[in-house]
Coordinates of all heavy atoms in Angstrom, one line a residue:
M1 N 201.7 15.6 142.8 CA 200.7 16.2 143.6 C 199.5 15.2 143.8 O 199.3 14.4 143.0 CB 200.1 17.4 142.8 CG 200.9 18.6 142.8 SD 199.9 19.9 142.2 CE 201.2 20.8 141.4
R2 N 198.9 15.5 144.9 CA 197.7 14.6 145.3 C 196.5 15.1 144.5 O 196.3 16.3 144.4 CB 197.5 14.7 146.8 CG 198.6 14.1 147.6 CD 198.4 14.2 149.0 NE 198.3 15.7 149.4 CZ 198.2 16.1 150.6 NH1 198.0 15.3 151.6 NH2 198.2 17.4 150.8
T3 N 195.6 14.2 144.1 CA 194.4 14.7 143.5 C 193.4 15.1 144.6 O 193.6 14.8 145.7 CB 193.7 13.5 142.7 OG1 193.5 12.4 143.6 CG2 194.6 13.1 141.5
G4 N 192.4 15.9 144.2 CA 191.5 16.3 145.2 C 191.8 17.7 145.7 O 191.2 18.2 146.6
H5 N 193.0 18.2 145.3 CA 193.4 19.6 145.8 C 193.5 20.5 144.7 O 194.5 21.3 144.6 CB 194.7 19.4 146.6 CG 194.6 18.6 147.8 ND1 193.8 18.8 148.8 CD2 195.3 17.4 148.1 CE1 193.9 17.9 149.7 NE2 194.8 17.0 149.3
C6 N 192.6 20.5 143.8 CA 192.6 21.4 142.6 C 193.8 21.1 141.7 O 194.3 22.0 141.0 CB 192.6 22.9 143.0 SG 191.2 23.4 143.9
S7 N 194.4 19.9 141.7 CA 195.6 19.7 141.0 C 195.5 18.8 139.8 O 196.3 18.9 138.9 CB 196.6 19.0 142.0 OG 196.1 17.8 142.4
G8 N 194.4 18.1 139.7 CA 194.3 17.2 138.5 C 193.1 17.6 137.7 O 192.2 18.3 138.2
S9 N 193.0 17.2 136.5 CA 191.9 17.6 135.6 C 190.5 17.1 136.2 O 189.5 17.8 136.0 CB 192.1 17.0 134.2 OG 192.1 15.6 134.2
S10 N 190.5 16.0 136.9 CA 189.2 15.5 137.4 C 188.8 16.5 138.6 O 187.6 16.6 138.8 CB 189.4 14.1 137.9 OG 190.3 14.0 139.0
A11 N 189.8 17.1 139.3 CA 189.4 17.9 140.4 C 189.0 19.3 139.9 O 188.3 20.1 140.5 CB 190.6 18.1 141.3
D12 N 189.5 19.7 138.7 CA 189.3 21.0 138.2 C 187.8 21.4 138.1 O 187.5 22.6 138.4 CB 189.9 21.2 136.8 CG 191.4 21.1 136.8 OD1 192.0 21.1 137.9 OD2 192.0 21.1 135.8
S13 N 187.0 20.5 137.7 CA 185.6 20.8 137.5 C 184.8 20.7 138.8 O 183.6 21.2 138.9 CB 185.0 19.9 136.5 OG 185.0 18.6 136.9
R14 N 185.3 20.2 139.9 CA 184.6 20.0 141.1 C 185.0 21.0 142.2 O 184.3 21.1 143.2 CB 184.8 18.6 141.6 CG 184.2 17.5 140.7 CD 184.5 16.1 141.2 NE 185.9 15.9 141.2 CZ 186.5 14.9 141.9 NH1 185.8 14.1 142.7 NH2 187.8 14.8 141.8
L15 N 186.1 21.6 142.1 CA 186.6 22.5 143.2 C 186.8 23.9 142.7 O 187.2 24.1 141.6 CB 187.9 21.9 143.8 CG 187.9 20.6 144.4 CD1 189.3 20.1 144.8 CD2 187.0 20.5 145.6
S16 N 186.6 24.8 143.6 CA 186.9 26.3 143.3 C 187.4 26.8 144.6 O 187.1 26.4 145.7 CB 185.6 27.0 143.0 OG 185.0 26.6 141.8
L17 N 188.3 27.8 144.5 CA 188.9 28.5 145.6 C 188.4 29.9 145.7 O 188.4 30.6 144.7 CB 190.4 28.4 145.5 CG 191.2 29.1 146.6 CD1 191.0 28.3 147.9 CD2 192.7 29.1 146.2
L18 N 187.9 30.3 146.9 CA 187.4 31.6 147.1 C 188.3 32.4 148.0 O 188.7 31.8 149.1 CB 186.0 31.6 147.7 CG 184.9 30.8 147.1 CD1 183.6 30.8 147.9 CD2 184.7 31.3 145.7
I19 N 188.7 33.6 147.6 CA 189.7 34.4 148.4 C 189.1 35.7 148.7 O 189.1 36.6 147.8 CB 191.1 34.5 147.7 CG1 191.7 33.1 147.4 CG2 192.0 35.4 148.6 CD1 192.9 33.2 146.6
P20 N 188.5 36.0 149.8 CA 188.1 37.3 150.2 C 189.3 38.1 150.7 O 190.1 37.5 151.4 CB 187.0 37.1 151.3 CG 187.4 35.8 151.9 CD 188.1 35.0 150.8
T21 N 189.5 39.3 150.3 CA 190.6 40.1 150.8 C 190.2 41.5 151.0 O 189.3 42.0 150.4 CB 191.8 40.0 149.8 OG1 193.0 40.5 150.4 CG2 191.5 40.6 148.5
K22 N 191.0 42.2 151.9 CA 190.8 43.6 152.1 C 192.1 44.2 152.6 O 192.6 43.8 153.7 CB 189.7 43.8 153.2 CG 189.5 45.2 153.6 CD 188.4 45.3 154.8 CE 188.4 46.7 155.3 NZ 187.4 46.8 156.4
D23 N 192.6 45.1 151.8 CA 193.9 45.8 152.1 C 195.0 44.8 152.5 O 195.8 45.1 153.4 CB 193.6 46.8 153.3 CG 192.6 47.9 152.9 OD1 192.6 48.3 151.7 OD2 191.8 48.3 153.8
R24 N 195.1 43.7 151.8 CA 196.2 42.8 152.0 C 196.9 42.4 150.7 O 197.1 41.2 150.4 CB 195.7 41.5 152.7 CG 195.1 41.8 154.1 CD 194.6 40.6 154.8 NE 193.4 40.2 154.0 CZ 192.8 39.0 154.2 NH1 193.3 38.2 155.1 NH2 191.7 38.7 153.5
S25 N 197.4 43.3 150.0 CA 198.0 43.1 148.7 C 199.2 42.2 148.8 O 199.5 41.3 147.9 CB 198.3 44.3 147.9 OG 199.2 45.2 148.6
V26 N 200.1 42.4 149.8 CA 201.3 41.6 149.9 C 200.9 40.1 150.1 O 201.5 39.2 149.5 CB 202.2 42.1 151.0 CG1 203.3 41.2 151.3 CG2 202.7 43.5 150.7
F27 N 199.9 39.9 151.0 CA 199.5 38.5 151.2 C 198.9 37.9 150.0 O 199.2 36.7 149.6 CB 198.5 38.5 152.4 CG 197.9 37.1 152.6 CD1 198.6 36.2 153.3 CD2 196.6 36.8 152.2 CE1 198.1 34.9 153.5 CE2 196.1 35.6 152.4 CZ 196.8 34.6 153.0
L28 N 198.0 38.6 149.3 CA 197.4 38.1 148.1 C 198.5 37.8 147.0 O 198.4 36.7 146.4 CB 196.4 39.1 147.5 CG 195.7 38.6 146.2 CD1 194.8 37.4 146.5 CD2 194.8 39.7 145.6
D29 N 199.5 38.6 146.8 CA 200.5 38.4 145.9 C 201.3 37.1 146.2 O 201.5 36.2 145.4 CB 201.5 39.6 145.8 CG 202.5 39.4 144.7 OD1 202.1 39.1 143.5 OD2 203.7 39.6 144.9
K30 N 201.6 36.9 147.5 CA 202.3 35.7 147.9 C 201.5 34.5 147.7 O 202.0 33.4 147.3 CB 202.8 35.8 149.4 CG 203.9 36.8 149.7 CD 204.2 36.8 151.1 CE 205.3 37.8 151.4 NZ 205.7 37.9 152.8
L31 N 200.2 34.6 148.1 CA 199.3 33.4 147.9 C 199.2 33.0 146.5 O 199.3 31.8 146.1 CB 197.9 33.8 148.5 CG 196.9 32.7 148.6 CD1 197.4 31.6 149.5 CD2 195.6 33.3 149.1
L32 N 199.0 34.0 145.6 CA 198.8 33.7 144.2 C 200.1 33.1 143.6 O 200.1 32.2 142.8 CB 198.4 34.9 143.4 CG 197.0 35.4 143.7 CD1 196.7 36.7 142.9 CD2 195.9 34.3 143.5
R33 N 201.3 33.6 144.0 CA 202.6 33.1 143.6 C 202.7 31.7 144.0 O 203.2 30.8 143.3 CB 203.7 34.0 144.2 CG 205.0 33.6 143.6 CD 206.2 34.6 144.1 NE 205.7 35.8 144.6 CZ 206.1 36.3 145.8 NH1 207.0 35.6 146.6 NH2 205.7 37.4 146.2
F34 N 202.3 31.4 145.3 CA 202.4 30.0 145.7 C 201.5 29.0 144.9 O 201.9 28.0 144.5 CB 201.9 29.9 147.2 CG 201.8 28.5 147.7 CD1 202.9 27.8 148.1 CD2 200.5 27.9 147.8 CE1 202.8 26.5 148.6 CE2 200.4 26.6 148.3 CZ 201.5 25.9 148.7
Y35 N 200.2 29.4 144.7 CA 199.3 28.6 143.9 C 199.8 28.4 142.4 O 199.7 27.3 141.9 CB 197.9 29.1 143.9 CG 197.2 28.9 145.2 CD1 196.4 29.9 145.8 CD2 197.3 27.7 145.9 CE1 195.8 29.8 147.0 CE2 196.7 27.6 147.1 CZ 195.9 28.6 147.7 OH 195.3 28.4 148.9
A36 N 200.4 29.5 141.9 CA 201.0 29.4 140.5 C 202.1 28.4 140.5 O 202.3 27.6 139.5 CB 201.4 30.7 140.0
S37 N 203.0 28.4 141.5 CA 204.1 27.5 141.6 C 203.7 26.0 141.7 O 204.5 25.1 141.4 CB 205.1 27.9 142.7 OG 204.5 27.5 144.0
R38 N 202.5 25.8 142.2 CA 202.0 24.5 142.4 C 201.0 24.1 141.2 O 200.4 23.0 141.3 CB 201.2 24.4 143.7 CG 202.0 24.7 144.9 CD 203.2 23.8 145.1 NE 203.9 23.9 146.3 CZ 204.9 24.7 146.5 NH1 205.4 25.5 145.6 NH2 205.5 24.8 147.7
S39 N 201.0 24.9 140.2 CA 200.1 24.6 139.0 C 198.7 24.3 139.4 O 198.1 23.3 139.0 CB 200.7 23.5 138.2 OG 202.0 23.8 137.8
L40 N 198.1 25.1 140.3 CA 196.8 25.0 140.7 C 195.8 25.0 139.5 O 195.9 25.9 138.7 CB 196.4 26.1 141.7 CG 195.0 26.0 142.3 CD1 195.1 25.0 143.4 CD2 194.7 27.4 142.9
G41 N 195.0 24.0 139.4 CA 194.2 23.8 138.2 C 192.7 24.3 138.3 O 192.0 24.5 137.4
C42 N 192.3 24.5 139.6 CA 190.9 24.9 139.7 C 190.7 26.4 139.7 O 191.7 27.2 139.8 CB 190.3 24.4 141.1 SG 191.1 25.1 142.5
P43 N 189.5 26.9 139.4 CA 189.3 28.4 139.3 C 189.5 29.0 140.7 O 189.1 28.4 141.7 CB 187.8 28.5 138.9 CG 187.3 27.2 138.7 CD 188.3 26.2 139.1
V44 N 190.0 30.2 140.7 CA 190.2 31.0 141.9 C 189.4 32.3 141.8 O 189.6 33.1 140.8 CB 191.7 31.4 142.1 CG1 191.9 32.2 143.3 CG2 192.5 30.1 142.1
Y45 N 188.5 32.5 142.7 CA 187.6 33.7 142.7 C 188.1 34.6 143.8 O 188.2 34.2 145.0 CB 186.2 33.3 142.9 CG 185.6 32.5 141.8 CD1 185.8 31.1 141.8 CD2 185.0 33.1 140.8 CE1 185.3 30.3 140.8 CE2 184.5 32.3 139.7 CZ 184.6 30.9 139.7 OH 184.1 30.2 138.7
I46 N 188.4 35.8 143.5 CA 189.0 36.8 144.4 C 188.0 37.9 144.6 O 187.6 38.6 143.6 CB 190.3 37.4 144.0 CG1 191.3 36.2 143.8 CG2 190.8 38.4 144.9 CD1 192.5 36.6 143.0
G47 N 187.5 38.2 145.8 CA 186.7 39.3 146.1 C 187.5 40.3 146.9 O 187.9 40.1 148.0
D48 N 187.7 41.5 146.3 CA 188.6 42.5 146.9 C 187.7 43.7 147.5 O 187.2 44.5 146.7 CB 189.5 43.1 145.8 CG 190.5 44.1 146.4 OD1 190.5 44.4 147.6 OD2 191.3 44.6 145.6
A49 N 187.6 43.8 148.8 CA 186.9 44.8 149.4 C 187.8 45.9 150.1 O 187.5 46.5 151.1 CB 186.0 44.2 150.5
S50 N 189.0 46.1 149.5 CA 189.9 47.0 150.0 C 189.4 48.4 150.1 O 188.7 48.9 149.2 CB 191.2 47.0 149.1 OG 191.9 45.8 149.2
E51 N 189.6 49.0 151.2 CA 189.2 50.4 151.4 C 190.3 51.4 150.9 O 190.0 52.5 150.5 CB 188.9 50.7 152.9 CG 187.7 49.9 153.4 CD 187.3 50.1 154.8 OE1 188.0 50.9 155.5 OE2 186.3 49.5 155.2
N52 N 191.5 51.0 150.9 CA 192.6 51.8 150.4 C 192.8 51.6 148.9 O 193.1 50.5 148.5 CB 193.9 51.3 151.1 CG 195.1 52.1 150.7 OD1 195.2 52.7 149.6 ND2 196.1 52.2 151.6
P53 N 192.5 52.6 148.1 CA 192.6 52.4 146.6 C 194.0 51.9 146.2 O 194.0 51.2 145.2 CB 192.4 53.9 146.1 CG 191.7 54.6 147.2 CD 192.2 54.0 148.5
E54 N 195.1 52.3 146.9 CA 196.4 51.8 146.5 C 196.5 50.3 146.7 O 197.1 49.6 145.9 CB 197.5 52.5 147.2 CG 197.5 54.0 146.9 CD 198.4 54.8 147.8 OE1 198.9 54.3 148.8 OE2 198.6 56.0 147.5
E55 N 195.9 49.8 147.8 CA 195.9 48.4 148.0 C 195.1 47.6 146.9 O 195.5 46.6 146.4 CB 195.3 48.0 149.4 CG 196.3 48.3 150.5 CD 197.4 47.3 150.6 OE1 197.2 46.1 150.5 OE2 198.6 47.8 150.8
A56 N 194.0 48.2 146.6 CA 193.1 47.6 145.5 C 193.9 47.5 144.2 O 193.8 46.5 143.5 CB 191.8 48.4 145.4
Q57 N 194.6 48.6 143.9 CA 195.4 48.6 142.7 C 196.5 47.6 142.7 O 196.8 46.9 141.7 CB 196.0 50.0 142.4 CG 196.8 50.1 141.1 CD 195.9 49.9 139.9 OE1 194.7 50.2 139.9 NE2 196.5 49.3 138.9
R58 N 197.2 47.4 143.8 CA 198.2 46.4 144.0 C 197.6 45.0 143.9 O 198.2 44.1 143.3 CB 199.0 46.6 145.3 CG 200.0 47.8 145.2 CD 200.9 47.8 146.4 NE 200.3 48.2 147.6 CZ 200.2 49.4 148.1 NH1 200.7 50.4 147.4 NH2 199.7 49.7 149.2
N59 N 196.4 44.8 144.4 CA 195.7 43.5 144.3 C 195.5 43.2 142.8 O 195.7 42.1 142.4 CB 194.4 43.5 145.1 CG 194.6 43.3 146.6 OD1 195.6 42.7 147.0 ND2 193.7 43.7 147.4
L60 N 195.0 44.2 142.1 CA 194.7 44.0 140.7 C 196.0 43.7 139.9 O 196.0 42.8 139.0 CB 194.0 45.3 140.1 CG 193.4 45.2 138.8 CD1 192.4 44.1 138.7 CD2 192.8 46.5 138.4
Q61 N 197.1 44.3 140.3 CA 198.3 44.0 139.6 C 198.8 42.6 139.9 O 199.3 41.9 139.0 CB 199.4 45.0 140.0 CG 199.1 46.4 139.5 CD 200.0 47.5 140.2 OE1 200.7 47.2 141.2 NE2 200.0 48.7 139.6
A62 N 198.6 42.2 141.2 CA 199.0 40.8 141.5 C 198.2 39.8 140.7 O 198.7 38.8 140.2 CB 198.8 40.6 143.0
V63 N 196.9 40.1 140.5 CA 196.1 39.2 139.7 C 196.5 39.2 138.3 O 196.7 38.1 137.6 CB 194.6 39.6 139.8 CG1 193.7 38.9 138.8 CG2 194.0 39.3 141.2
A64 N 196.8 40.4 137.7 CA 197.3 40.5 136.3 C 198.6 39.7 136.1 O 198.7 39.0 135.1 CB 197.5 41.9 136.0
R65 N 199.5 39.7 137.1 CA 200.7 38.9 136.9 C 200.5 37.4 136.9 O 201.4 36.7 136.3 CB 201.7 39.2 138.1 CG 202.4 40.6 138.0 CD 203.5 40.7 139.0 NE 203.0 40.7 140.4 CZ 202.6 41.8 141.0 NH1 202.6 43.0 140.4 NH2 202.2 41.8 142.3
R66 N 199.4 36.9 137.4 CA 199.2 35.5 137.5 C 198.1 35.0 136.5 O 197.8 33.8 136.5 CB 198.8 35.1 138.9 CG 199.8 35.5 139.9 CD 201.1 34.7 139.9 NE 202.1 35.2 140.9 CZ 203.3 35.6 140.6 NH1 203.7 35.5 139.4 NH2 204.1 36.0 141.6
R67 N 197.6 35.8 135.7 CA 196.5 35.4 134.8 C 196.9 34.3 133.9 O 196.0 33.5 133.5 CB 195.9 36.6 134.0 CG 195.0 37.5 134.9 CD 193.9 38.0 134.0 NE 193.1 39.0 134.8 CZ 192.1 38.7 135.5 NH1 191.7 37.5 135.6 NH2 191.4 39.7 136.2
D68 N 198.1 34.3 133.4 CA 198.6 33.3 132.5 C 198.7 31.9 133.1 O 198.7 30.9 132.5 CB 199.9 33.7 131.8 CG 199.7 34.8 130.9 OD1 198.5 35.1 130.4 OD2 200.7 35.5 130.6
S69 N 198.9 31.9 134.4 CA 199.2 30.6 135.1 C 198.1 30.1 136.0 O 198.1 28.9 136.4 CB 200.5 30.7 135.9 OG 200.4 31.7 136.8
L70 N 197.1 30.9 136.3 CA 196.0 30.5 137.1 C 194.7 30.9 136.5 O 194.6 31.9 135.7 CB 196.1 31.2 138.5 CG 197.3 30.8 139.4 CD1 197.3 31.8 140.6 CD2 197.2 29.4 139.8
K71 N 193.6 30.2 136.8 CA 192.3 30.6 136.3 C 191.7 31.5 137.4 O 191.1 31.1 138.3 CB 191.4 29.3 136.2 CG 191.9 28.3 135.3 CD 191.1 27.0 135.4 CE 191.7 25.9 134.5 NZ 190.9 24.7 134.7
L72 N 191.9 32.8 137.1 CA 191.5 33.8 138.1 C 190.2 34.6 137.7 O 190.1 35.0 136.5 CB 192.6 34.8 138.3 CG 193.9 34.2 138.8 CD1 195.0 35.3 138.8 CD2 193.7 33.7 140.2
D73 N 189.4 34.9 138.6 CA 188.3 35.8 138.5 C 188.3 36.8 139.6 O 188.2 36.4 140.8 CB 187.0 35.0 138.5 CG 185.7 35.8 138.3 OD1 185.5 36.8 139.0 OD2 185.0 35.5 137.3
Y74 N 188.6 38.0 139.2 CA 188.8 39.1 140.2 C 187.5 40.0 140.2 O 187.1 40.4 139.2 CB 190.0 39.9 139.9 CG 190.2 41.2 140.7 CD1 190.9 41.1 141.9 CD2 189.7 42.4 140.3 CE1 191.1 42.3 142.7 CE2 189.9 43.6 141.1 CZ 190.6 43.5 142.3 OH 190.7 44.6 143.0
E75 N 187.0 40.3 141.4 CA 185.9 41.1 141.5 C 186.2 42.2 142.6 O 186.5 41.9 143.7 CB 184.7 40.3 142.0 CG 183.4 41.2 142.2 CD 182.3 40.3 142.7 OE1 181.9 39.4 141.9 OE2 181.7 40.6 143.8
R76 N 186.1 43.5 142.1 CA 186.3 44.6 143.1 C 184.9 44.8 143.8 O 183.9 45.0 143.1 CB 186.6 45.9 142.3 CG 186.8 47.1 143.1 CD 188.1 47.0 143.9 NE 188.4 48.2 144.6 CZ 188.3 48.4 145.9 NH1 187.9 47.5 146.7 NH2 188.6 49.6 146.4
Q77 N 184.9 44.6 145.1 CA 183.7 44.7 145.8 C 183.6 46.0 146.6 O 184.6 46.7 146.7 CB 183.6 43.5 146.8 CG 183.5 42.2 146.1 CD 183.5 41.0 147.1 OE1 184.2 41.0 148.1 NE2 182.8 40.0 146.7
A78 N 182.5 46.4 147.0 CA 182.3 47.6 147.7 C 183.2 47.7 149.0 O 183.1 46.7 149.8 CB 180.8 47.8 148.1
P79 N 183.9 48.7 149.2 CA 184.7 48.9 150.4 C 183.8 48.8 151.6 O 182.7 49.4 151.6 CB 185.4 50.2 150.3 CG 185.4 50.5 148.8 CD 184.2 49.8 148.3
G80 N 184.1 48.1 152.6 CA 183.3 48.0 153.8 C 182.3 46.8 153.8 O 181.7 46.6 154.8
I81 N 182.2 46.1 152.7 CA 181.4 45.0 152.7 C 181.8 43.9 153.7 O 183.0 43.8 153.9 CB 181.3 44.3 151.2 CG1 180.2 43.3 151.1 CG2 182.7 43.7 150.9 CD1 180.0 42.8 149.7
T82 N 180.9 43.3 154.3 CA 181.4 42.2 155.3 C 182.0 41.0 154.6 O 181.7 40.8 153.4 CB 180.2 41.8 156.2 OG1 179.2 41.1 155.3 CG2 179.5 42.9 156.9
T83 N 182.8 40.3 155.3 CA 183.4 39.1 154.7 C 182.3 38.1 154.2 O 182.4 37.6 153.1 CB 184.3 38.4 155.7 OG1 185.3 39.4 156.1 CG2 185.0 37.2 155.1
V84 N 181.3 37.9 155.0 CA 180.2 37.0 154.7 C 179.5 37.4 153.4 O 179.3 36.6 152.5 CB 179.2 36.9 155.9 CG1 178.0 36.1 155.4 CG2 179.9 36.2 157.0
A85 N 179.2 38.7 153.3 CA 178.5 39.2 152.1 C 179.4 39.1 150.9 O 179.0 38.8 149.8 CB 178.1 40.7 152.3
G86 N 180.7 39.4 151.1 CA 181.7 39.3 150.0 C 181.8 37.8 149.5 O 181.8 37.6 148.3
V87 N 181.9 36.9 150.4 CA 181.9 35.5 150.0 C 180.6 35.1 149.3 O 180.6 34.3 148.3 CB 182.2 34.6 151.2 CG1 182.0 33.1 150.9 CG2 183.6 34.8 151.7
H88 N 179.5 35.6 149.8 CA 178.2 35.2 149.2 C 178.2 35.7 147.7 O 177.7 35.0 146.8 CB 177.1 35.9 150.0 CG 175.7 35.5 149.5 ND1 175.1 36.1 148.4 CD2 174.9 34.6 149.9 CE1 173.9 35.6 148.2 NE2 173.8 34.6 149.1
Q89 N 178.7 36.9 147.5 CA 178.8 37.4 146.1 C 179.7 36.5 145.2 O 179.3 36.2 144.1 CB 179.4 38.8 146.0 CG 178.4 39.9 146.5 CD 179.0 41.3 146.4 OE1 180.2 41.5 146.0 NE2 178.2 42.3 146.7
L90 N 180.8 36.0 145.8 CA 181.6 35.1 145.0 C 181.0 33.8 144.8 O 181.1 33.2 143.7 CB 183.0 34.9 145.7 CG 183.9 36.1 145.9 CD1 185.1 35.8 146.7 CD2 184.3 36.6 144.5
L91 N 180.2 33.3 145.8 CA 179.5 32.0 145.6 C 178.5 32.1 144.5 O 178.2 31.1 143.8 CB 178.9 31.6 146.9 CG 179.8 31.0 148.0 CD1 179.1 30.8 149.3 CD2 180.4 29.7 147.5
E92 N 177.8 33.2 144.4 CA 176.8 33.4 143.3 C 177.4 33.2 141.9 O 176.7 32.8 141.0 CB 176.2 34.8 143.4 CG 175.2 34.9 144.6 CD 174.6 36.3 144.7 OE1 175.1 37.2 144.1 OE2 173.7 36.4 145.5
K93 N 178.7 33.4 141.8 CA 179.4 33.2 140.5 C 179.5 31.7 140.1 O 179.6 31.4 138.9 CB 180.7 33.9 140.5 CG 180.7 35.4 140.5 CD 182.1 35.9 140.5 CE 182.0 37.4 140.1 NZ 183.2 37.8 139.4
I94 N 179.6 30.9 141.1 CA 179.9 29.5 140.8 C 178.7 28.5 141.1 O 178.8 27.4 140.8 CB 181.1 29.0 141.7 CG1 180.9 29.1 143.2 CG2 182.3 29.8 141.3 CD1 182.0 28.5 144.0
T95 N 177.6 29.1 141.6 CA 176.5 28.2 141.8 C 175.3 28.5 140.9 O 175.3 29.5 140.2 CB 175.9 28.3 143.3 OG1 175.6 29.6 143.6 CG2 177.0 27.8 144.2

């Protein structure tokens, strides 16, 4: 793997990945599976603004399945929050 893409220990402390999502549990599960298969080393912050409670539950299950292989921080956000506001909330966790 190339360094600088959350793959090496030196990159781990400098990079974070933010994933805003809303009612896209299938996409989130595939994305997390991909990152886990690549041994992503940097923290992943997920902001879930799903309006459908079933989608939110599936997102939470996708996160639970990958907790052992990824550094995940899941935040259930208010349904209807704008993407910009959701990303801002996630950025507050890392700055």
